[in-house]
Amino acid sequence: MEPTAGRCNDRSQHVYEVRPREDHRGIGLISDALPFGRLWYGEPNAVSNVVDCAKFRSPSHDALIRLYARAGDVIEMHGHAGESKEW
């Protein structure tokens, strides 16, 4: 299955996908908003750290974070409202 992270109509929203790695060695964070497209987390509290990372990487943008099960189904979604700054 090809990741759909970052593919949205609203360019002001960052979309992140959190997926279990196929090699069973942690969690992957996937998004076009990341400098290299993917990050890998392998510690016991990886899911919490991944969600926090996605929120941190999008301080001024709205973010949609989708958490996927190994079967490919969305099991949880998180939203993050970015800070709007008026110039």
Side-chain angles (χ1 to χ4, degrees):
M1 174 182 279
E2 184 176 325
T4 58
R7 295 182 192 157
C8 61
N9 293 333
D10 184 4
R11 292 287 180 196
S12 66
Q13 183 181 46
H14 290 167
V15 178
Y16 295 89
E17 291 185 359
V18 179
R19 294 181 177 269
R21 288 175 45 104
E22 290 181 12
D23 62 5
H24 304 280
R25 297 182 64 201
I27 303 292
L29 175 63
I30 306 164
S31 177
D32 289 342
L34 297 170
F36 299 105
R38 296 174 181 253
L39 290 175
W40 173 63
Y41 289 81
E43 63 270 1
N45 56 345
V47 173
S48 174
N49 289 344
V50 167
V51 171
D52 290 344
C53 176
K55 290 178 182 178
F56 176 78
R57 302 290 261 150
S58 299
S60 61
H61 291 83
D62 292 343
L64 175 62
I65 306 157
R66 295 184 190 123
L67 184 63
Y68 288 84
R70 194 160 303 282
D73 301 326
V74 175
I75 57 172
E76 198 172 321
M77 290 178 63
H78 295 268
H80 168 69
E83 299 173 14
S84 59
K85 297 181 180 178
E86 304 249 349
W87 298 98

